[in-house]
Amino acid sequence: MGHSLIISCGTPSEIFALNALIASLKDKNPAQQITLLTYDDGQTAAHSLPGIDQVRVIEKQKIKNFARNTIFSSGHAINLFWQNLTPVIQQHWDEIYNFEADIVPAAIASMLTAKTKYGLQLNAEHNLSFSSNWALSDQFIYQGRHLLHRKDQIRLMANLATYAVPPAVFVDPENQALAREHFAALRHAPGHQDRRIVGISIHDLPSALPDEDLIKLLELILDDDTLLPVLLSSKNAMDLARLKAINQKFMNTIIAIQGHQAALAAAISELDILITGGDDRFFLTAKHGRVIYLTTQTDFYRHGGSREEDCIILARDKFSIELILTVLKHGRTELLTLAQDQADSHIDWASLYFPFTDEMGVYFQTAGTTPKASDFGLLIARYILGKLLHLPITLAPRIFQANPEALSAHIQQERLHILETTKTLLAALRSLLRLQDNTKMGQEFTMQLADILAYVDEQHLAALCCTIFKNQIENLPLGGKDDNIRQIETLLYQLRDHLQLALGVLRDLDDQLAQIKKDQYRQKAKEHLADVQG
Amino acid sequence: MADFDPQVCEFEIKYTKDQLPVPVIHGIHLHSIYQPRKEAESFIAQNQGILAEKNIILFLGLGLGYHITAASAALTKLYGEQGYTIGVIEPNPLTLENYYRFCNQDNQNLRIFCAKDPDELYLRSDFVNFLALGPKIIPHPASFNLYQDYFKKFMAYKASDNLTAIEAVIHDQNLQAYFKKSEAANLAQFYQQLKTKNLQNLDYFVLAFAALTSSASEEATWATR
């Protein structure tokens, strides 16, 4: 097992562009541990890159603040910088890749010990130079602080990727000509049939990029069988709308969009496959040189399971609700099999979390981030789902300790949703009673029923119960009117029971939470006092 | 200035009619002896403008935290339960001890910093980390009057650029020893000396640090040396 360090302090898009290198390194040696060293503004991007085992961050802004503000001793800045770098300094590396053309990363790369170093380094005489193994390094001549212009950096990165790993191209939207040049070079280079573009990154489609150029660019990518297209666009539905307006063709191919899920939802049905991240994370990647499709759970099932070998299911908040539908449609055994078969790969590659699975392949442990309310939402939803379907799902209270406030806020919100749904449910029951007395009251009942069914589209526990209700109604056997009314009444009462069950779970969680908070406070007060008095 | 020494400090707890505790130090009540909660609420209402400006607040003086509770409520309304941070500087450990004695509610958004000398605070990482967030400062009037010298010293603090003072803040012993070897008076001199010697070991670290923290024009100097 080797240890490689990649130093990349560039923009998030530059960090994403490391994808090919990482995939290739992993391909060559799957057991290889890869660490990425970056500045704080690249942290999110770095965490999202699959294949990275560890991310080390230099808290640049904070260090600068400490160093420049006169009320802080520079010692604090030094401490923080040292603290950031210590784990990197202590490690003996097999390979170090310095992707930067800047003195800070060069000095860092030079102070570290490694069997092989690639990229810019600083020697004892203060001279900056590229290592001789650096791809096509003779193209670059050191000319002062701004050693490389942006386009050269990108070219360098592309060249390195071509040299050290399976060919890859990094497209900078600000320099489309260069992008085209790269594509052309790739396509016409000897042995190009072996070359595949494994990651093309287009962030925030710039408004200055003319549509016709964009079309050419997309066609170039999409029409070439030797290229595996993956378009990443960081900014939301606006980009999608623009692409759509440009050419419907692209909508039926593979388009990756992250963020703004709600706006995207409207467009989902028009896509064959939607590749989406969400929550501002990039999930999409090339795994061992192949393209992985990241799709929604709904699309996945709609197409009868995985059509593609490398399909990833996007399983976020709606996951549980859709699982229920699957259970009701296909039976429980299949659900468990699906969860076991699919959840791991999803978790492994598409989320920021360690795969720590329970009976259903649910993850519990967070890696480097504090769990958010939505994470708890997922866990609780699964737990309640287990209760409703009598599945052996347990809650791991350990995770609640990581962020009791978020859990508390989440419980509060869920409770409000349940109360609101219960209110609607009671109104429906009332109108049903009136309908039984007087058949002219049918319209009122239908409206109340529609109100309940409308909750299905929301993302909370009550929606989960309503989804079951909806599915049961849809599967009601044909019968007489009275029969149907009786059955609906039974289902409504069942819905009430489900809502009560959900409330009960929230109550239990509240108790657990109160105990956790109490313990934490006592401990904290004790420690603080001991500290001050000591 | 009041004395913080528990042996000398005249500290007592009095109770309001409603049995709410009020600390009295050297005869000075830190909160109203009639309605401390109401007093705190009106104090926070007066400072509502500051709270609306920023969700990170530093109070000078803890007392028994009536104003902190009121501020938490106001900040929760403005920014949500987890959307704010309150820091408090309390010079007197006895006050802190009694705060913990009487206040049984944890507030995850609260950081209390207690040190007998304000200079000590600036040496602490947790405190400077909080200050780096750029909090708005609100003095608790009774505490501020009681510990005027302390808080004035706190406000007027300026970190020394002397290398010895910097060394004192550095945690890592190797790094501290490395700086100690130098005869430079300050970091600027240290950097100058670094430019004329052959680089080895920790020199690279300091050079990276210098380049990272320098302004753009200085950066150019580093690179074009």
Side-chain angles (χ1 to χ4, degrees), chain B residues 39-94:
Chain B
E39 177 202 48
E41 279 161 15
S42 105
F43 168 59
I44 293 304
Q46 284 165 23
N47 287 288
Q48 188 67 24
I50 297 178
L51 303 191
E53 267 177 52
K54 183 129 190 180
N55 61 348
I56 302 163
I57 304 293
L58 175 63
F59 281 100
L60 306 183
L62 173 68
L64 285 194
Y66 293 108
H67 55 296
I68 306 298
T69 310
S72 296
L75 288 163
T76 302
K77 265 189 198 164
L78 286 167
Y79 305 106
E81 245 177 70
Q82 293 157 58
Y84 67 95
T85 308
I86 296 178
V88 186
I89 298 176
E90 175 50 51
N92 194 338
L94 273 175

Side-chain angles (χ1 to χ4, degrees), chain A residues 59-79:
Chain A
E59 295 166 85
K60 185 181 172 186
Q61 290 312 321
K62 206 165 160 189
I63 293 170
K64 277 187 161 185
N65 185 16
F66 279 153
R68 290 179 182 176
N69 195 325
T70 54
I71 64 166
F72 300 126
S73 162
S74 296
H76 289 300
I78 293 173
N79 276 339

Side-chain angles (χ1 to χ4, degrees), chain A residues 68 70 76 124 142 405 521 528, chain B residues 100 103 108 122 159 199 214 223:
Chain A
R68 290 179 182 176
T70 54
H76 289 300
Y142 176 53
E405 291 72 32
Y521 177 63
H528 195 188
Chain B
Y100 280 132
C103 174
Q108 294 287 333
Y122 284 100
L199 298 172
S214 58

